[in-house]
Amino acid sequence: QRIKGGSKAILQCQGFILLERSDGNLFHWNHLMKGDKLVLHRSKRDWMWRQFFLSEEYTGSNYQYVGKLRSDKDRGDGTARYVLSGEGAGTIFRIDEKSGDLHATQRLDREEKASYTLQAQAFNKITGLPLEPATEFIVKIHDINDNEPKFTKAVYTASVPEMSDIGTFVIEVNATDADDATYGNSAKLVYSILQGQPYFSVEPETGIVRIALSNMDREVRKEYQVVIQAKDMAGQMGGLSGTTMVNVTLTDVNDSPPRFAYSSYHLSTYESAEIGSTVGRIKANDGDEGENAEMKYRIVDGDGKEYLDIITDETTQEGVMVIKKKLDYESKRVYTVKVEVTNTHQDPSFSDLGPFLDTAIVKVTAKDVDEPPVFSRPQYVFEVNEDTPKGIAVGTIAAWDPDATHYPIQYAIDQHTDPERLYHIDPKNGSITILKSLDREVSKWHNISVLASEINNPHQRSRVPVLIKVLDVNDNAPEFAMIYETFVCENVKLIQTISAIDTDDPLVGHKFVFTLSSMNPNFTIFDNEDNTARILTRRSGFNRREMSVYYLPVVISDSDYPIQSSTSTLTIRVCSCDATGNMRSCSVDALLLSAGLSTGALVAILLCILILLMIVVLFSALKKQRRKEPLIISKEDVRDNVVSYNDEGGGEEDTQAFDIGTLRHPEVIESNKLRRDIIPEMLFPYHRPSPMKECADVRDFIISRLQENDTDPFTPPYDSLATYAYEGNGSIAESLSSLESSVTEGDHEYDYLSNWGPQFKKLADMYIGKDTGVAN
């Protein structure tokens, strides 16, 4: 029970009384109850206080009074001195040493520090001794509402699916207040929404934001900004507040079906468009996004369903119309299809919004182009007998202009496919005829290409393959299948089995008949009726000394119409055999042939042996020639009258040449001859007549040799032959030797040689001398 009265109050609790004075000091009193009369007894204690309270954010000009410290041992005579220690002593808190009054010297903030612990002690000024032990007390800071609420984030971001129900959780915001939550309402917060109504709401105590309006459509509005306020003092007037912003985004759900902007679309393309080429694009609109906006197109109906197709472009979500089958302007000009579009991902919870598909009509117009001619068939196959005469028609090609103009067509054969010019085509009616005789045995098939082009526009051209099969006619006689080399022994009856071939190809197969052209006393033939025949001997006792070779004409006929036959000669050689029939001896050719060597092989072997012998002889001659020493060994030995020959002639003993004595005739002179390897300087060469007619034999001999060399392509030119008409004493030109010319050469001067340079120094030393003359 609290008793208030005047400047003091009395608290009674559990057998003792606390007396609170107006200055804040507490006194403990024991009480005795004697009837209705209360008897108080003061309990003795050292200090009269334990705790003080101080308001924060003091704005007065003087120090803020905290309380009065007083010891019960202070007699009031001024001998007591009070000392303060602890948190903030001397700085924040000061005590009057005489009176014990405690003051705060600074403005305090409870949010920085809510309480301070101090110690107080009383001393005797005179003796300096403590009057009593030190006592601890606490100064608590009373809170005032000086801090506004603050949110943990300045801006919040949240998302919620569109079309959500009312009350759907969006986000929870949180604010804090630095004031004391245990004292008063300074830190009691209340949340409210300032912006974002009527779409959103917030719970006042928890700060949870929820949907407040149903059927919020993202396609109508996607982004919202909500402002939330937190206010202390439980939202009462005078409280402090703080705000934050919440950016809310509506996420997409598949609630919008695809829709075409138009009920029909018109596209066009040329009839020459290739299969798979694009005609055009159409697109349906879907307000959703992401996978909810993915669409698929397909053709569900229409007369152009066979010619057109539609595929989905996954990047642009467009329907691409493509050619499925070639369009034809002449047969159909407008192709119509019905196109359906649907969502690939559908949400069953929104099926009540209607069918998630749409349809539209697409009309494709084919535009005309000038097309090349069209053949009646992709390829033509004709048959013709190989004995068909020239000029006969093989077959006819047909083509026409597919355009509406229907221009006339002209035909031609691609000459690259008919290099032998076997066929001709009429340029107007397309009839193919034969130009040359055909031979099936040379070629059974002829593959040519026929070109068709418009007369008015030759660039519009098409080609078609034409296959001509040459049918067989029995125009070839059968013949031996191979070259038979037959040998006969004296006691052998069967000597050879022969067969035949025929290049013709009859329908029922070959059937050959073998006979002898005439009766033969030595051999006979037996037809095996399987396209083979046996050659038999009609007697024994063949003697290769009497006759080593027999020739047997064999007639081979076929069974086709008209019957063709040929006569082939079988060569039979006689050889000596032993008792078992093995050949022991025969002619050289027969033995070689029996060993499996043909005449061509024998010739090749002989040529190889001859070539090897020639190589050996040539190698020996070259080796012998290298052993000869040259006449002049040193290059320093200069002699103008010495000639070295690698070949040594036969001299006067050479009977293959002409008589050397003839050349010594003093009247002989060589006639001028034109060289064949240079251009003559005169049209008619100068001819000096022989001084004597007795020299005609030598002249005729030289002329004949000249003609031989001119007509023989394997001899060198005549001017390379060393021929001498004059030599030695008695000739008109006298001796050609320089051995006797020293007397006449003494008159010559050779001083000019020293002016020719160091290259002619050696020559000048030889010819220029101080003596009377220089010998050669």
Side-chain angles (χ1 to χ4, degrees), residues 190-194 202-204 227-231:
V190 174
Y191 298 94
S192 61
I193 184 168
L194 300 182
V202 62
E203 293 182 359
V227 179
I228 305 297
Q229 182 190 63
K231 190 174 184 180

Side-chain angles (χ1 to χ4, degrees), residues 54-55 58 60-67 84 88 91-95 101-108 116 139 141:
L54 183 65
S55 297
Y58 176 70
S61 59
N62 299 324
Y63 292 159
Q64 186 178 5
Y65 180 75
V66 179
L84 183 67
T91 57
I92 299 176
F93 300 101
R94 288 186 180 183
I95 190 170
D101 292 333
L102 183 64
H103 291 84
T105 63
Q106 299 179 8
R107 183 178 179 180
L108 302 179
Y116 296 85
V139 178
I141 309 301

Side-chain angles (χ1 to χ4, degrees), residues 522-523 539 542 547-552 570-572 574:
N522 300 315
F523 304 97
R539 66 181 180 87
F542 290 97
M547 191 170 184
S548 61
V549 179
Y550 293 90
Y551 298 99
L552 182 64
L570 185 64
T571 303
I572 303 174
V574 180

